């Protein structure tokens, strides 16, 4: 038997972090569990979906050693409903985990911890450190462009490229692409793909870590991320990410600078019609006016005008408005640059006067 | 052709009110429309699902008369995405409704208005006036107990009882019952059932009307509600509501007064276990302690204690915790009264020292 005395806030926070990795359906009960590992170094909470494993150190007082497993969802719901501003006492035995907190007493059934998957990194091939919020923002800016379909394995994730003093994240679903990069003193060169699910887990563990230091390690097969008492180990997807550099457009003929917010608002309005028709909108830039339009055979048509600054030729092209809006929502500058080549080439959008990220959207053929 | 000049805020608000009555699937296109009726008295927006009809007066300038219909969902989305703080010009023809607002231009396809259903009240048999927010709160406190199943026609709604100087609203799904009443100078006696869908529509048109005066009219088959430029006509459901008075418990043997919030919090925790087992919790009151407990064969058990004030005998009974929580969330007093007869009789809950509403919950048999 072992015993833990802990603040509810600490317990709730750590269980919330580790239990999110547990899949909604599991083959074996142990894979639906959080493992309490009480050893000489401290108390650790662990959860894993075999691809991603999360281990969090619990700041607490404890006596007794051993491993104890309990259903993650029940445990999560229990700690979420208990008051946050008090202490709790946990008693762990091979058959039960009891939680006593104020006048509440839970006695949860324990699961045999023997088969809990152990995941750890091998010999470290590369490592770097970065501010947690910086990495979080980079992920946030690219992840929405990844393919959602799990069967498109080479696009269902985020590609990491390290080298030449840069960390670069890229994702694409074949119709659009997002790229974020950050200067980092990295000497080794490497590239690997992490699945969308793993990336969401990484966002989850880095969220709210602010300026805390994050340590990154790579052993050739797995990536380890250590930040704020939490260690996440993610398996790399062993398929090749497409050669994205060939898609990046060059030699632009038209550069348009437009208010990010005005463009989002106009796109939202044109979408009301576009989604009831061809799902496409037409963008026309004539002199210093950008005209958005769309037409639905049954419901009518819409026409929007926005004043812009333009360099280069006039242009006409058509796009899926959803892809434009999603990219614009991740551009934080007041103005955005739209860089066109012609009506059949990809459009590049990037924040005005800010380096480090860009979006590329394929046009739709104008019939 | 006709023309309307209107503030976007006014247009958006009125379209939002009338378009909510339009069902998501319609047999004929005209039933999916908002009708613009421009006559000598003013401009009116109308929508109907045949059971409920809503008519809102649009405060605007206009020229030209006639009736024009346009798809409600598209119109709603268009006005929601246009800026709120400007004016708009509408041009209505038999084939199009054009909206011009700033640099946005919509041209929406019009629908032939001929078959738009006309609904109006007959000779008024009874009428009264009430503050809109008062009626809104009464509905809000009972509506969640109505049966959701549309085939249970006699319980899928709210029963209105007028007479003896009272307006009383009652709803029940067979397992629980809610009752709200309000003193009103009503002489005539009557009772009728309005469907859950109609009641939601009434909540929608009375929401945010605050202390405005609401006029109620009843012609024996339909109910009319007039408030703040909006007139709603609802058809009465022609089935008998059960004799609810027989269910109301009397001659209580135990009265327990407990903190509403403590009870809600304890119920939320016991539900974590209860929903994984028999969906029931056990309530035991011994001396001045209320003990909540539940057990799940696979996941464990929970035990909660709350201090209470008690008059009468100790009691043990079992309930569906969901029904208790839902009722408690509608009790605004800090303390709630629980009135028991015995473990097989309905439990009555009501706010402490506040008259006018109560909840009755059937117990579950303790095995």
């Amino acid at each position: 038997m072992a015993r833990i005395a802990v603040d509810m806030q600490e317990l709730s926070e750590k269980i919330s972090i580790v239990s999110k990795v547990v899949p909604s359906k599991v083959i074996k009960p142990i894979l639906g569990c959080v493992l309490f590992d009480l050893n000489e170094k401290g108390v650790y909470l662990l959860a894993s979906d075999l691809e991603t494993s999360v281990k969090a150190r619990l700041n607490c007082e404890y006596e007794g050693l051993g491993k104890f497993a309990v259903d993650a969802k029940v445990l999560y719901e229990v700690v979420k409903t208990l008051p946050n501003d008090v202490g709790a006492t946990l008693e762990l035995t091979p058959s039960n985990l009891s939680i006593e907190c104020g006048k509440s007493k839970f006695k949860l059934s324990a699961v045999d911890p023997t088969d809990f998957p152990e995941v750890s990194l091998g010999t470290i091939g590369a490592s770097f450190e970065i501010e947690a919020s910086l990495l979080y923002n980079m992920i946030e800016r690219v992840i929405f462009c990844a393919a959602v379909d799990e069967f498109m394995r080479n696009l269902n994730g985020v590609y990491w490229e390290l080298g030449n003093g840069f960390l670069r994240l890229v994702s694409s679903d074949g119709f659009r692409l997002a790229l974020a990069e950050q200067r980092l003193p990295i000497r080794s060169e490497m590239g690997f793909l992490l699945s969308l699910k793993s990336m969401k887990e990484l966002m989850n563990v880095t969220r709210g870590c602010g300026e805390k230091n994050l340590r990154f390690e790579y052993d050739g097969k797995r990536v380890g991320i250590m930040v704020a008492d939490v260690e996440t180990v993610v398996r790399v997807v062993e398929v090749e990410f497409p050669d994205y550099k060939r898609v990046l457009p060059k030699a632009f003929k038209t550069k348009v600078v437009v208010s990010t917010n005005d463009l989002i608002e106009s796109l939202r309005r044109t979408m009301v019609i576009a989604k009831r028709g061809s799902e496409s909108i037409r963008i026309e830039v004539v002199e210093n006016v950008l005209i958005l339009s769309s037409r639905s055979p049954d419901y009518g048509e819409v026409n929007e005008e926005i004043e812009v600054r333009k360099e280069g030729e006039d242009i006409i092209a058509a796009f899926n408005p959803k892809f434009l809006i999603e990219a614009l929502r991740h551009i934080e500058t007041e103005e955005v640059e739209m860089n066109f080549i012609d009506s059949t080439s990809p459009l590049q959008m990037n924040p005005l006067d800010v380096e480090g990220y860009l979006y590329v959207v394929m046009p739709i053929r104008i019939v």
Side-chain angles (χ1 to χ4, degrees), chain A residues 1-2 36 68-70 90-99 106-112:
Chain A
M1 203 192 81
F36 285 75
F68 308 91
V70 64
L90 279 63
E91 259 185 36
L92 304 107
T93 73
S95 52
N96 290 300
L97 163 65
S98 300
I99 303 178
F106 282 89
K107 193 167 167 186
L108 305 178
S109 308
V111 175
D112 179 1

mmCIF file with all atom_site columns, all heavy atoms in Angstrom, chain A residues 1-2 36 68-70 90-99 106-112:
data_model
loop_
_atom_site.group_PDB
_atom_site.id
_atom_site.type_symbol
_atom_site.label_atom_id
_atom_site.label_alt_id
_atom_site.label_comp_id
_atom_site.label_asym_id
_atom_site.label_entity_id
_atom_site.label_seq_id
_atom_site.pdbx_PDB_ins_code
_atom_site.Cartn_x
_atom_site.Cartn_y
_atom_site.Cartn_z
_atom_site.occupancy
_atom_site.B_iso_or_equiv
_atom_site.pdbx_formal_charge
_atom_site.auth_seq_id
_atom_site.auth_comp_id
_atom_site.auth_asym_id
_atom_site.auth_atom_id
_atom_site.pdbx_PDB_model_num
ATOM 1   N N   . MET A 1 1   ? 0.834   -1.209 0.000   1.00 0.00 ? 1   MET A N   1
ATOM 2   C CA  . MET A 1 1   ? 0.000   0.000  0.000   1.00 0.00 ? 1   MET A CA  1
ATOM 3   C C   . MET A 1 1   ? 0.864   1.253  0.000   1.00 0.00 ? 1   MET A C   1
ATOM 4   O O   . MET A 1 1   ? 1.942   1.260  0.581   1.00 0.00 ? 1   MET A O   1
ATOM 5   C CB  . MET A 1 1   ? -0.908  0.007  1.232   1.00 0.00 ? 1   MET A CB  1
ATOM 6   C CG  . MET A 1 1   ? -2.128  0.866  1.032   1.00 0.00 ? 1   MET A CG  1
ATOM 7   S SD  . MET A 1 1   ? -3.020  1.147  2.580   1.00 0.00 ? 1   MET A SD  1
ATOM 8   C CE  . MET A 1 1   ? -2.080  2.465  3.310   1.00 0.00 ? 1   MET A CE  1
ATOM 9   N N   . ALA A 1 2   ? 0.394   2.260  -0.674  1.00 0.00 ? 2   ALA A N   1
ATOM 10  C CA  . ALA A 1 2   ? 1.123   3.533  -0.697  1.00 0.00 ? 2   ALA A CA  1
ATOM 11  C C   . ALA A 1 2   ? 0.134   4.660  -0.452  1.00 0.00 ? 2   ALA A C   1
ATOM 12  O O   . ALA A 1 2   ? -1.079  4.473  -0.553  1.00 0.00 ? 2   ALA A O   1
ATOM 13  C CB  . ALA A 1 2   ? 1.818   3.723  -2.040  1.00 0.00 ? 2   ALA A CB  1
ATOM 14  N N   . PHE A 1 36  ? 0.195   5.322  -11.899 1.00 0.00 ? 36  PHE A N   1
ATOM 15  C CA  . PHE A 1 36  ? 0.909   6.024  -10.832 1.00 0.00 ? 36  PHE A CA  1
ATOM 16  C C   . PHE A 1 36  ? 2.190   5.250  -10.574 1.00 0.00 ? 36  PHE A C   1
ATOM 17  O O   . PHE A 1 36  ? 2.128   4.090  -10.174 1.00 0.00 ? 36  PHE A O   1
ATOM 18  C CB  . PHE A 1 36  ? 0.073   6.057  -9.543  1.00 0.00 ? 36  PHE A CB  1
ATOM 19  C CG  . PHE A 1 36  ? -1.070  7.031  -9.566  1.00 0.00 ? 36  PHE A CG  1
ATOM 20  C CD1 . PHE A 1 36  ? -2.222  6.778  -10.283 1.00 0.00 ? 36  PHE A CD1 1
ATOM 21  C CD2 . PHE A 1 36  ? -0.986  8.225  -8.839  1.00 0.00 ? 36  PHE A CD2 1
ATOM 22  C CE1 . PHE A 1 36  ? -3.280  7.674  -10.290 1.00 0.00 ? 36  PHE A CE1 1
ATOM 23  C CE2 . PHE A 1 36  ? -2.041  9.134  -8.839  1.00 0.00 ? 36  PHE A CE2 1
ATOM 24  C CZ  . PHE A 1 36  ? -3.191  8.860  -9.558  1.00 0.00 ? 36  PHE A CZ  1
ATOM 25  N N   . PHE A 1 68  ? 0.633   1.580  -9.791  1.00 0.00 ? 68  PHE A N   1
ATOM 26  C CA  . PHE A 1 68  ? -0.809  1.392  -9.633  1.00 0.00 ? 68  PHE A CA  1
ATOM 27  C C   . PHE A 1 68  ? -1.495  2.020  -10.842 1.00 0.00 ? 68  PHE A C   1
ATOM 28  O O   . PHE A 1 68  ? -1.141  3.137  -11.229 1.00 0.00 ? 68  PHE A O   1
ATOM 29  C CB  . PHE A 1 68  ? -1.300  2.063  -8.344  1.00 0.00 ? 68  PHE A CB  1
ATOM 30  C CG  . PHE A 1 68  ? -0.509  1.654  -7.131  1.00 0.00 ? 68  PHE A CG  1
ATOM 31  C CD1 . PHE A 1 68  ? 0.615   2.386  -6.736  1.00 0.00 ? 68  PHE A CD1 1
ATOM 32  C CD2 . PHE A 1 68  ? -0.868  0.530  -6.402  1.00 0.00 ? 68  PHE A CD2 1
ATOM 33  C CE1 . PHE A 1 68  ? 1.359   2.000  -5.631  1.00 0.00 ? 68  PHE A CE1 1
ATOM 34  C CE2 . PHE A 1 68  ? -0.121  0.141  -5.289  1.00 0.00 ? 68  PHE A CE2 1
ATOM 35  C CZ  . PHE A 1 68  ? 0.987   0.877  -4.903  1.00 0.00 ? 68  PHE A CZ  1
ATOM 36  N N   . ALA A 1 69  ? -2.471  1.312  -11.412 1.00 0.00 ? 69  ALA A N   1
ATOM 37  C CA  . ALA A 1 69  ? -3.143  1.842  -12.605 1.00 0.00 ? 69  ALA A CA  1
ATOM 38  C C   . ALA A 1 69  ? -4.638  1.975  -12.336 1.00 0.00 ? 69  ALA A C   1
ATOM 39  O O   . ALA A 1 69  ? -5.231  1.154  -11.647 1.00 0.00 ? 69  ALA A O   1
ATOM 40  C CB  . ALA A 1 69  ? -2.913  0.914  -13.795 1.00 0.00 ? 69  ALA A CB  1
ATOM 41  N N   . VAL A 1 70  ? -5.236  3.049  -12.909 1.00 0.00 ? 70  VAL A N   1
ATOM 42  C CA  . VAL A 1 70  ? -6.665  3.259  -12.723 1.00 0.00 ? 70  VAL A CA  1
ATOM 43  C C   . VAL A 1 70  ? -7.227  3.915  -13.989 1.00 0.00 ? 70  VAL A C   1
ATOM 44  O O   . VAL A 1 70  ? -6.507  4.639  -14.696 1.00 0.00 ? 70  VAL A O   1
ATOM 45  C CB  . VAL A 1 70  ? -6.921  4.111  -11.449 1.00 0.00 ? 70  VAL A CB  1
ATOM 46  C CG1 . VAL A 1 70  ? -6.338  5.500  -11.586 1.00 0.00 ? 70  VAL A CG1 1
ATOM 47  C CG2 . VAL A 1 70  ? -8.389  4.164  -11.102 1.00 0.00 ? 70  VAL A CG2 1
ATOM 48  N N   . LEU A 1 90  ? -4.583  10.285 -1.189  1.00 0.00 ? 90  LEU A N   1
ATOM 49  C CA  . LEU A 1 90  ? -4.807  9.126  -2.045  1.00 0.00 ? 90  LEU A CA  1
ATOM 50  C C   . LEU A 1 90  ? -4.222  7.899  -1.360  1.00 0.00 ? 90  LEU A C   1
ATOM 51  O O   . LEU A 1 90  ? -3.097  7.943  -0.840  1.00 0.00 ? 90  LEU A O   1
ATOM 52  C CB  . LEU A 1 90  ? -4.115  9.311  -3.403  1.00 0.00 ? 90  LEU A CB  1
ATOM 53  C CG  . LEU A 1 90  ? -4.827  10.155 -4.459  1.00 0.00 ? 90  LEU A CG  1
ATOM 54  C CD1 . LEU A 1 90  ? -4.989  11.584 -4.004  1.00 0.00 ? 90  LEU A CD1 1
ATOM 55  C CD2 . LEU A 1 90  ? -4.085  10.096 -5.787  1.00 0.00 ? 90  LEU A CD2 1
ATOM 56  N N   . GLU A 1 91  ? -4.970  6.827  -1.386  1.00 0.00 ? 91  GLU A N   1
ATOM 57  C CA  . GLU A 1 91  ? -4.454  5.547  -0.895  1.00 0.00 ? 91  GLU A CA  1
ATOM 58  C C   . GLU A 1 91  ? -4.456  4.571  -2.042  1.00 0.00 ? 91  GLU A C   1
ATOM 59  O O   . GLU A 1 91  ? -5.491  4.366  -2.682  1.00 0.00 ? 91  GLU A O   1
ATOM 60  C CB  . GLU A 1 91  ? -5.337  5.017  0.232   1.00 0.00 ? 91  GLU A CB  1
ATOM 61  C CG  . GLU A 1 91  ? -4.746  5.249  1.602   1.00 0.00 ? 91  GLU A CG  1
ATOM 62  C CD  . GLU A 1 91  ? -5.596  4.599  2.669   1.00 0.00 ? 91  GLU A CD  1
ATOM 63  O OE1 . GLU A 1 91  ? -6.157  3.500  2.418   1.00 0.00 ? 91  GLU A OE1 1
ATOM 64  O OE2 . GLU A 1 91  ? -5.705  5.211  3.736   1.00 0.00 ? 91  GLU A OE2 1
ATOM 65  N N   . LEU A 1 92  ? -3.282  3.978  -2.312  1.00 0.00 ? 92  LEU A N   1
ATOM 66  C CA  . LEU A 1 92  ? -3.163  3.104  -3.475  1.00 0.00 ? 92  LEU A CA  1
ATOM 67  C C   . LEU A 1 92  ? -2.860  1.682  -3.035  1.00 0.00 ? 92  LEU A C   1
ATOM 68  O O   . LEU A 1 92  ? -1.905  1.441  -2.296  1.00 0.00 ? 92  LEU A O   1
ATOM 69  C CB  . LEU A 1 92  ? -2.048  3.603  -4.392  1.00 0.00 ? 92  LEU A CB  1
ATOM 70  C CG  . LEU A 1 92  ? -2.189  5.058  -4.858  1.00 0.00 ? 92  LEU A CG  1
ATOM 71  C CD1 . LEU A 1 92  ? -1.181  5.946  -4.157  1.00 0.00 ? 92  LEU A CD1 1
ATOM 72  C CD2 . LEU A 1 92  ? -2.045  5.161  -6.364  1.00 0.00 ? 92  LEU A CD2 1
ATOM 73  N N   . THR A 1 93  ? -3.691  0.741  -3.495  1.00 0.00 ? 93  THR A N   1
ATOM 74  C CA  . THR A 1 93  ? -3.443  -0.679 -3.253  1.00 0.00 ? 93  THR A CA  1
ATOM 75  C C   . THR A 1 93  ? -3.593  -1.378 -4.607  1.00 0.00 ? 93  THR A C   1
ATOM 76  O O   . THR A 1 93  ? -4.084  -0.773 -5.565  1.00 0.00 ? 93  THR A O   1
ATOM 77  C CB  . THR A 1 93  ? -4.473  -1.281 -2.273  1.00 0.00 ? 93  THR A CB  1
ATOM 78  O OG1 . THR A 1 93  ? -5.729  -1.412 -2.961  1.00 0.00 ? 93  THR A OG1 1
ATOM 79  C CG2 . THR A 1 93  ? -4.664  -0.408 -1.039  1.00 0.00 ? 93  THR A CG2 1
ATOM 80  N N   . PRO A 1 94  ? -3.168  -2.627 -4.722  1.00 0.00 ? 94  PRO A N   1
ATOM 81  C CA  . PRO A 1 94  ? -3.333  -3.329 -6.008  1.00 0.00 ? 94  PRO A CA  1
ATOM 82  C C   . PRO A 1 94  ? -4.792  -3.404 -6.453  1.00 0.00 ? 94  PRO A C   1
ATOM 83  O O   . PRO A 1 94  ? -5.078  -3.546 -7.646  1.00 0.00 ? 94  PRO A O   1
ATOM 84  C CB  . PRO A 1 94  ? -2.765  -4.719 -5.724  1.00 0.00 ? 94  PRO A CB  1
ATOM 85  C CG  . PRO A 1 94  ? -1.767  -4.489 -4.641  1.00 0.00 ? 94  PRO A CG  1
ATOM 86  C CD  . PRO A 1 94  ? -2.368  -3.413 -3.766  1.00 0.00 ? 94  PRO A CD  1
ATOM 87  N N   . SER A 1 95  ? -5.752  -3.293 -5.538  1.00 0.00 ? 95  SER A N   1
ATOM 88  C CA  . SER A 1 95  ? -7.144  -3.435 -5.973  1.00 0.00 ? 95  SER A CA  1
ATOM 89  C C   . SER A 1 95  ? -7.917  -2.116 -6.010  1.00 0.00 ? 95  SER A C   1
ATOM 90  O O   . SER A 1 95  ? -8.924  -2.014 -6.707  1.00 0.00 ? 95  SER A O   1
ATOM 91  C CB  . SER A 1 95  ? -7.879  -4.439 -5.090  1.00 0.00 ? 95  SER A CB  1
ATOM 92  O OG  . SER A 1 95  ? -7.716  -4.096 -3.736  1.00 0.00 ? 95  SER A OG  1
ATOM 93  N N   . ASN A 1 96  ? -7.458  -1.074 -5.279  1.00 0.00 ? 96  ASN A N   1
ATOM 94  C CA  . ASN A 1 96  ? -8.223  0.166  -5.251  1.00 0.00 ? 96  ASN A CA  1
ATOM 95  C C   . ASN A 1 96  ? -7.333  1.398  -5.181  1.00 0.00 ? 96  ASN A C   1
ATOM 96  O O   . ASN A 1 96  ? -6.260  1.363  -4.595  1.00 0.00 ? 96  ASN A O   1
ATOM 97  C CB  . ASN A 1 96  ? -9.126  0.221  -4.008  1.00 0.00 ? 96  ASN A CB  1
ATOM 98  C CG  . ASN A 1 96  ? -10.256 -0.772 -4.104  1.00 0.00 ? 96  ASN A CG  1
ATOM 99  O OD1 . ASN A 1 96  ? -11.059 -0.716 -5.014  1.00 0.00 ? 96  ASN A OD1 1
ATOM 100 N ND2 . ASN A 1 96  ? -10.284 -1.713 -3.164  1.00 0.00 ? 96  ASN A ND2 1
ATOM 101 N N   . LEU A 1 97  ? -7.858  2.495  -5.762  1.00 0.00 ? 97  LEU A N   1
ATOM 102 C CA  . LEU A 1 97  ? -7.285  3.815  -5.520  1.00 0.00 ? 97  LEU A CA  1
ATOM 103 C C   . LEU A 1 97  ? -8.366  4.620  -4.808  1.00 0.00 ? 97  LEU A C   1
ATOM 104 O O   . LEU A 1 97  ? -9.423  4.887  -5.374  1.00 0.00 ? 97  LEU A O   1
ATOM 105 C CB  . LEU A 1 97  ? -6.913  4.485  -6.845  1.00 0.00 ? 97  LEU A CB  1
ATOM 106 C CG  . LEU A 1 97  ? -6.683  5.996  -6.800  1.00 0.00 ? 97  LEU A CG  1
ATOM 107 C CD1 . LEU A 1 97  ? -5.470  6.346  -5.948  1.00 0.00 ? 97  LEU A CD1 1
ATOM 108 C CD2 . LEU A 1 97  ? -6.484  6.553  -8.205  1.00 0.00 ? 97  LEU A CD2 1
ATOM 109 N N   . SER A 1 98  ? -8.106  4.978  -3.543  1.00 0.00 ? 98  SER A N   1
ATOM 110 C CA  . SER A 1 98  ? -9.089  5.763  -2.799  1.00 0.00 ? 98  SER A CA  1
ATOM 111 C C   . SER A 1 98  ? -8.663  7.222  -2.782  1.00 0.00 ? 98  SER A C   1
ATOM 112 O O   . SER A 1 98  ? -7.487  7.534  -2.612  1.00 0.00 ? 98  SER A O   1
ATOM 113 C CB  . SER A 1 98  ? -9.200  5.263  -1.371  1.00 0.00 ? 98  SER A CB  1
ATOM 114 O OG  . SER A 1 98  ? -9.607  3.921  -1.374  1.00 0.00 ? 98  SER A OG  1
ATOM 115 N N   . ILE A 1 99  ? -9.624  8.107  -2.986  1.00 0.00 ? 99  ILE A N   1
ATOM 116 C CA  . ILE A 1 99  ? -9.354  9.540  -2.922  1.00 0.00 ? 99  ILE A CA  1
ATOM 117 C C   . ILE A 1 99  ? -10.253 10.116 -1.841  1.00 0.00 ? 99  ILE A C   1
ATOM 118 O O   . ILE A 1 99  ? -11.475 9.945  -1.893  1.00 0.00 ? 99  ILE A O   1
ATOM 119 C CB  . ILE A 1 99  ? -9.651  10.232 -4.267  1.00 0.00 ? 99  ILE A CB  1
ATOM 120 C CG1 . ILE A 1 99  ? -8.846  9.585  -5.388  1.00 0.00 ? 99  ILE A CG1 1
ATOM 121 C CG2 . ILE A 1 99  ? -9.355  11.731 -4.189  1.00 0.00 ? 99  ILE A CG2 1
ATOM 122 C CD1 . ILE A 1 99  ? -9.106  10.180 -6.769  1.00 0.00 ? 99  ILE A CD1 1
ATOM 123 N N   . PHE A 1 106 ? -13.905 8.736  -2.787  1.00 0.00 ? 106 PHE A N   1
ATOM 124 C CA  . PHE A 1 106 ? -14.019 7.855  -3.937  1.00 0.00 ? 106 PHE A CA  1
ATOM 125 C C   . PHE A 1 106 ? -13.142 6.623  -3.705  1.00 0.00 ? 106 PHE A C   1
ATOM 126 O O   . PHE A 1 106 ? -12.043 6.734  -3.148  1.00 0.00 ? 106 PHE A O   1
ATOM 127 C CB  . PHE A 1 106 ? -13.522 8.554  -5.203  1.00 0.00 ? 106 PHE A CB  1
ATOM 128 C CG  . PHE A 1 106 ? -14.501 9.529  -5.777  1.00 0.00 ? 106 PHE A CG  1
ATOM 129 C CD1 . PHE A 1 106 ? -14.502 10.855 -5.370  1.00 0.00 ? 106 PHE A CD1 1
ATOM 130 C CD2 . PHE A 1 106 ? -15.422 9.126  -6.734  1.00 0.00 ? 106 PHE A CD2 1
ATOM 131 C CE1 . PHE A 1 106 ? -15.406 11.762 -5.903  1.00 0.00 ? 106 PHE A CE1 1
ATOM 132 C CE2 . PHE A 1 106 ? -16.326 10.032 -7.273  1.00 0.00 ? 106 PHE A CE2 1
ATOM 133 C CZ  . PHE A 1 106 ? -16.324 11.347 -6.853  1.00 0.00 ? 106 PHE A CZ  1
ATOM 134 N N   . LYS A 1 107 ? -13.641 5.483  -4.120  1.00 0.00 ? 107 LYS A N   1
ATOM 135 C CA  . LYS A 1 107 ? -12.838 4.263  -4.075  1.00 0.00 ? 107 LYS A CA  1
ATOM 136 C C   . LYS A 1 107 ? -12.906 3.676  -5.478  1.00 0.00 ? 107 LYS A C   1
ATOM 137 O O   . LYS A 1 107 ? -13.918 3.078  -5.859  1.00 0.00 ? 107 LYS A O   1
ATOM 138 C CB  . LYS A 1 107 ? -13.446 3.307  -3.046  1.00 0.00 ? 107 LYS A CB  1
ATOM 139 C CG  . LYS A 1 107 ? -12.566 2.151  -2.672  1.00 0.00 ? 107 LYS A CG  1
ATOM 140 C CD  . LYS A 1 107 ? -13.144 1.477  -1.425  1.00 0.00 ? 107 LYS A CD  1
ATOM 141 C CE  . LYS A 1 107 ? -12.511 0.130  -1.163  1.00 0.00 ? 107 LYS A CE  1
ATOM 142 N NZ  . LYS A 1 107 ? -13.195 -0.531 -0.034  1.00 0.00 ? 107 LYS A NZ  1
ATOM 143 N N   . LEU A 1 108 ? -11.860 3.924  -6.273  1.00 0.00 ? 108 LEU A N   1
ATOM 144 C CA  . LEU A 1 108 ? -11.883 3.517  -7.679  1.00 0.00 ? 108 LEU A CA  1
ATOM 145 C C   . LEU A 1 108 ? -11.188 2.171  -7.853  1.00 0.00 ? 108 LEU A C   1
ATOM 146 O O   . LEU A 1 108 ? -10.146 1.920  -7.235  1.00 0.00 ? 108 LEU A O   1
ATOM 147 C CB  . LEU A 1 108 ? -11.190 4.580  -8.537  1.00 0.00 ? 108 LEU A CB  1
ATOM 148 C CG  . LEU A 1 108 ? -11.731 6.005  -8.397  1.00 0.00 ? 108 LEU A CG  1
ATOM 149 C CD1 . LEU A 1 108 ? -10.928 6.968  -9.262  1.00 0.00 ? 108 LEU A CD1 1
ATOM 150 C CD2 . LEU A 1 108 ? -13.211 6.054  -8.765  1.00 0.00 ? 108 LEU A CD2 1
ATOM 151 N N   . SER A 1 109 ? -11.742 1.332  -8.731  1.00 0.00 ? 109 SER A N   1
ATOM 152 C CA  . SER A 1 109 ? -11.146 0.021  -8.988  1.00 0.00 ? 109 SER A CA  1
ATOM 153 C C   . SER A 1 109 ? -9.797  0.188  -9.685  1.00 0.00 ? 109 SER A C   1
ATOM 154 O O   . SER A 1 109 ? -9.682  0.949  -10.642 1.00 0.00 ? 109 SER A O   1
ATOM 155 C CB  . SER A 1 109 ? -12.066 -0.805 -9.880  1.00 0.00 ? 109 SER A CB  1
ATOM 156 O OG  . SER A 1 109 ? -13.368 -0.839 -9.346  1.00 0.00 ? 109 SER A OG  1
ATOM 157 N N   . ALA A 1 110 ? -8.776  -0.528 -9.208  1.00 0.00 ? 110 ALA A N   1
ATOM 158 C CA  . ALA A 1 110 ? -7.458  -0.470 -9.838  1.00 0.00 ? 110 ALA A CA  1
ATOM 159 C C   . ALA A 1 110 ? -7.341  -1.567 -10.892 1.00 0.00 ? 110 ALA A C   1
ATOM 160 O O   . ALA A 1 110 ? -8.091  -2.541 -10.875 1.00 0.00 ? 110 ALA A O   1
ATOM 161 C CB  . ALA A 1 110 ? -6.368  -0.619 -8.782  1.00 0.00 ? 110 ALA A CB  1
ATOM 162 N N   . VAL A 1 111 ? -6.430  -1.360 -11.837 1.00 0.00 ? 111 VAL A N   1
ATOM 163 C CA  . VAL A 1 111 ? -6.194  -2.309 -12.927 1.00 0.00 ? 111 VAL A CA  1
ATOM 164 C C   . VAL A 1 111 ? -4.762  -2.828 -12.760 1.00 0.00 ? 111 VAL A C   1
ATOM 165 O O   . VAL A 1 111 ? -3.874  -2.080 -12.350 1.00 0.00 ? 111 VAL A O   1
ATOM 166 C CB  . VAL A 1 111 ? -6.377  -1.597 -14.293 1.00 0.00 ? 111 VAL A CB  1
ATOM 167 C CG1 . VAL A 1 111 ? -6.013  -2.511 -15.455 1.00 0.00 ? 111 VAL A CG1 1
ATOM 168 C CG2 . VAL A 1 111 ? -7.815  -1.078 -14.434 1.00 0.00 ? 111 VAL A CG2 1
ATOM 169 N N   . ASP A 1 112 ? -4.543  -4.105 -13.086 1.00 0.00 ? 112 ASP A N   1
ATOM 170 C CA  . ASP A 1 112 ? -3.198  -4.684 -12.979 1.00 0.00 ? 112 ASP A CA  1
ATOM 171 C C   . ASP A 1 112 ? -2.214  -3.895 -13.857 1.00 0.00 ? 112 ASP A C   1
ATOM 172 O O   . ASP A 1 112 ? -2.394  -3.806 -15.065 1.00 0.00 ? 112 ASP A O   1
ATOM 173 C CB  . ASP A 1 112 ? -3.262  -6.157 -13.431 1.00 0.00 ? 112 ASP A CB  1
ATOM 174 C CG  . ASP A 1 112 ? -1.904  -6.828 -13.371 1.00 0.00 ? 112 ASP A CG  1
ATOM 175 O OD1 . ASP A 1 112 ? -0.924  -6.177 -12.959 1.00 0.00 ? 112 ASP A OD1 1
ATOM 176 O OD2 . ASP A 1 112 ? -1.829  -8.014 -13.743 1.00 0.00 ? 112 ASP A OD2 1
#
